[in-house]
Amino acid sequence: MEMEKKMNVLVTGAAGFIGAALCGLLVRKGLKVTGIDSVNAYYDPRLKHARLGNLGFTLPADGEVVRTTPATGYDRSEIEYREIPYGRRLTSALNPELVFIRLDLTDRDGLESLCEREKFDVIVNLAAQAGVRYSIENPYAYVESNVVGFLNLLECARRWPVKHFLYASSSSVYGSNAKVPFSEKDRVDDPVSLYAATKKCDELMAHVYAGLYHIPLTGLRFFTVYGPWGRPDMAPMLFSDAIMNGDEIKVFNSGNLSRDFTYIDDIVEGIEKLIDKAPEDPSLARVFNIGCGRPMNLLEFITTLEAALGREARKKMYPMQPGDVMTTFADTTELRNVTGYAPKTTLKEGVERFAEWYLSENLWTR
């Protein structure tokens, strides 16, 4: 798509899975991009650092050495790494129009200072405390990041208006919805996890801010994103670690689950296509499903991953987990009508690309 060359975009969660991939795509499209991220230890920060390195950022050598145990992921042992100093501004060696700053959305003063200085044209908010199961263990982290942090960004967009404000919601808002595929017109008032509740709260806050201040807001309900550089608390990484280490993999609900697995490239291309397509009426916030539209049974996914890794899994069956849902299935008609969105990557192709990255010599853990 054709866009003005120096459109100034803020991407939050830029060291995250989707955020890093989106930053790379946007600068290749000729945009000016500032990425921010708190780089917390929900999962191993060395993966976040590796994503930043892949974007051309050289990590500073003067950060404090930290020893910690990540909150989630397959390996919960203590790790050691050097932190990026808070507030430090880094410029990519691959593209000077790409900048990274370590900044937390709950730092209202720091966020306001950045937005006042940069006068962003577009905000893409991908920063969030992720994970359904961890929200049961640490609920405060979800409200602080997903609700308070989002409010801080909305206030910035009110004070320094933007052409478009896109933000991450989640397919989790559909909760125990039995109707499939999930449509944006479905009711989403029956969440089954605090994570889902915070994402629904974001959608309600967006509705209010659009109505009061005419901020052009678009929410994105993501469906099970996977691919190279993915999160270590998600099934592809958890299963791959266990398979390659000869350990058992946990198969919840005896595998009687299905997910709308969506490849990372299809996700970020969908976001990029939306950037210059703000709502025609900025007083009406909107949401879109962004998924593959072809749900896959969990056991079939495992079989596909086994073939790609060349090794068989040792499976151990478990009951349904609290906060989990049986099926996710995206109806992407609305997004397709606005952008022409059409995911191209089959599950087999996507899993093979993930496995190739996972088995490569430059994997971040090796």
Side-chain angles (χ1 to χ4, degrees), residues 6 24 26-33 55-57 91-99:
K6 297 299 178 184
L26 294 185
V27 293
R28 290 194 298 272
K29 293 285 184 177
L31 281 68
K32 179 181 179 182
V33 179
L55 289 171
F57 294 107
T91 300
S92 170
L94 299 178
N95 192 319
E97 298 290 5
L98 177 59
V99 168

Side-chain angles (χ1 to χ4, degrees), residues 10 105 107-116 119-120 123 149-162 165 209 215:
L10 172 65
L105 291 189
D107 179 357
R108 191 165 71 185
D109 291 341
L111 198 59
E112 290 178 352
S113 177
L114 175 65
C115 290
E116 181 179 20
K119 305 291 193 303
F120 294 108
I123 293 174
F150 186 55
L151 175 61
N152 290 342
L153 262 185
L154 286 170
E155 278 293 298
C156 285
R158 178 179 69 84
R159 295 177 62 184
W160 298 283
V162 296
F165 186 143
Y209 267 71
I215 300 171

